[in-house]
Amino acid sequence: MIIDGHNDLVSRIWRNEEIRHMHLDRSADGDFAGGFFALYIPSPTPAPPTTVHYALPLPDPLSTEEARRVADEMYEIFRTLPVELATAADDFQPGRVAAILHIEGAEPIEPDLSNLEEWHERGLRSLGLVWSRANAFAEGVPFRFPSTGDTGPGLTAAGKELVRRCNDLGILVDLSHLNEAGFWDVAALSSAPLVATHSNVNALCASSRNLTDAQLDAVGASGGVVGINFAVSFLREDGHNDADTPLSEIVRHATYVAERIGVDHVALGSDFDGALVSEHLDGIAALPQLVEEFRTAGWDDDAVAKLTHRNWQRVLAETWR
Ligand code: ZN
């Protein structure tokens, strides 16, 4: 059974784009039991980088009003998906798909948090403070290579209050896309395990979106988890956005995390339908091929079970209780 840390199916449907990875009618073939389904309010995005070194400018901030409007439309799309709403760790079962309602970038949340509870009642159980562009709560990382995530200031006062309220309500706070200063603010404040739903290892691929060893250590010490992102530009040592990338790159990052902070702290965070993924991995139906890649690399049954679902279930149970 596979639980996944991030997909952008809803945004893709909202934009009327062809689905590339998240063919839910093929979930059974992939032993796919669901995971985090993002509502991501898009900005106009520049073309993906093809050069070795890049530093893309971030889009302008969005207004709360515009973000709320788009998030409401996306929520209606989310409700039409053939999935169960996930609000408990054991909602994930073989043979069905459970979806965690996740907002990637907190722009739809009013800076005074007045609509946070309403979103919780709708089923929101995971919130990324930022999708890279700055908002009322925090600043994210621009897409840069090579770079760490040390790119700007930490959380605003509203951002700190948002973390506290998420802890109170049992909403997971996602650290992916957040800059380093913001990461350390959350680490100091949050009472929940630290989670980066779809980020990789900066020591192996020096993208600003990836985590430094110190950040990995903090995730491990908190009992949290890192979901390994399948985006080739966050996996490859050269940072290239090249689809001809072997699946062993995913194993390489997962193994690094497992060896550094323990196999209890690594999971999958595909970024399916949100990023350029290896052409050798044809969406959720092909996930067993990826699992086979882990077995070939020496991961035993227990390690594979933790990677594919048990770690996510543990962290969700601790965060949502
Ligand atoms: Zn993302």
Side-chain angles (χ1 to χ4, degrees), residues 6 104 177 198:
H6 189 90
E104 183 178 33
H177 289 274
H198 59 307

Coordinates of all heavy atoms in Angstrom, one line a residue, residues 6 104 177 198, ligand 1:
H6 N 2.4 14.3 -1.9 CA 2.0 15.5 -2.6 C 1.5 15.1 -4.1 O 2.3 14.5 -4.8 CB 3.1 16.5 -2.7 CG 2.7 17.8 -3.3 ND1 2.2 18.8 -2.5 CD2 2.6 18.3 -4.6 CE1 1.9 19.9 -3.3 NE2 2.1 19.6 -4.5
E104 N -1.6 24.3 -0.5 CA -0.2 24.6 -0.7 C 0.0 26.1 -0.9 O -0.2 26.6 -2.0 CB 0.3 23.8 -1.9 CG 1.8 24.0 -2.2 CD 2.4 23.2 -3.3 OE1 1.6 23.0 -4.3 OE2 3.5 22.8 -3.3
H177 N 8.8 24.1 0.5 CA 8.7 25.5 -0.1 C 9.1 26.6 0.8 O 9.4 27.7 0.4 CB 7.4 25.8 -0.8 CG 7.0 25.0 -2.0 ND1 7.4 25.5 -3.3 CD2 6.3 23.9 -2.2 CE1 7.0 24.6 -4.2 NE2 6.3 23.6 -3.5
H198 N 7.2 17.2 0.3 CA 7.8 16.9 -1.0 C 9.1 17.7 -1.2 O 9.1 18.7 -1.9 CB 6.8 17.1 -2.1 CG 6.2 18.5 -2.2 ND1 5.6 19.1 -1.2 CD2 6.1 19.3 -3.3 CE1 5.1 20.3 -1.6 NE2 5.4 20.4 -2.9
Ligands
ZN1 ZN 5.1 22.0 -4.3

